[in-house]
Amino acid sequence: MDDPVKAKVPNRISAMLKLRRNMKAFPYSLSQLAASADVSRNTVWNLAKGEYWPKLDTAYKIARALNTTVYEIWNEAEVISFLRELSEAEQKRIMEQFKHEI
């Protein structure tokens, strides 16, 4: 039996990196973004390909490194849907950690 086709997680990571590359702004490569966000290059690569949703704190780190918001990278409705799947305690922890960026 064939594996079902996985839906990609739409995001704007690649587009934002391309824009920064054109502007010669940091970070503008996957490696630089990974280093700036303090995540692995493999994580950034897989997220840019739309392989999976990041943990929310990883999403905020990437958004911060790109000097933008999570909603500019991932669709707001999808982020809200993702948040609903988290436990209440996890939602509170994340909201407290990033309260100045929301």
Side-chain angles (χ1 to χ4, degrees), residues 5-77:
V5 176
K6 287 185 178 181
K8 295 287 185 183
V9 178
N11 65 73
R12 298 188 61 234
I13 293 172
S14 296
M16 293 180 127
L17 289 174
K18 183 177 181 181
L19 176 64
R20 280 162 174 70
R21 188 175 304 119
N22 291 340
M23 294 171 45
K24 306 237 186 294
F26 179 81
Y28 60 85
S29 73
L30 292 176
S31 295
Q32 289 173 318
L33 177 57
S36 182
D38 195 29
V39 298
S40 74
R41 185 184 181 286
N42 196 39
T43 295
V44 173
W45 176 261
N46 287 323
L47 291 173
K49 291 190 327 184
E51 295 295 323
Y52 61 86
W53 271 99
K55 290 182 179 177
L56 202 54
D57 49 349
T58 301
Y60 276 107
K61 287 179 180 181
I62 290 171
R64 187 183 305 139
L66 289 169
N67 197 29
T68 191
T69 66
V70 170
Y71 299 121
E72 288 293 319
I73 300 172
W74 291 275
N75 178 295
E76 183 175 359

Side-chain angles (χ1 to χ4, degrees), residues 53-60 70-71 77-98 102:
W53 271 99
K55 290 182 179 177
L56 202 54
D57 49 349
T58 301
Y60 276 107
V70 170
Y71 299 121
E78 292 169 336
V79 173
I80 291 169
S81 174
F82 176 72
L83 281 172
R84 288 185 183 137
E85 295 176 13
L86 298 175
S87 69
E88 190 172 320
E90 183 68 2
Q91 288 179 22
K92 285 181 182 179
R93 182 192 70 78
I94 291 168
M95 297 302 268
E96 180 62 28
Q97 183 177 355
F98 296 101
I102 298 175

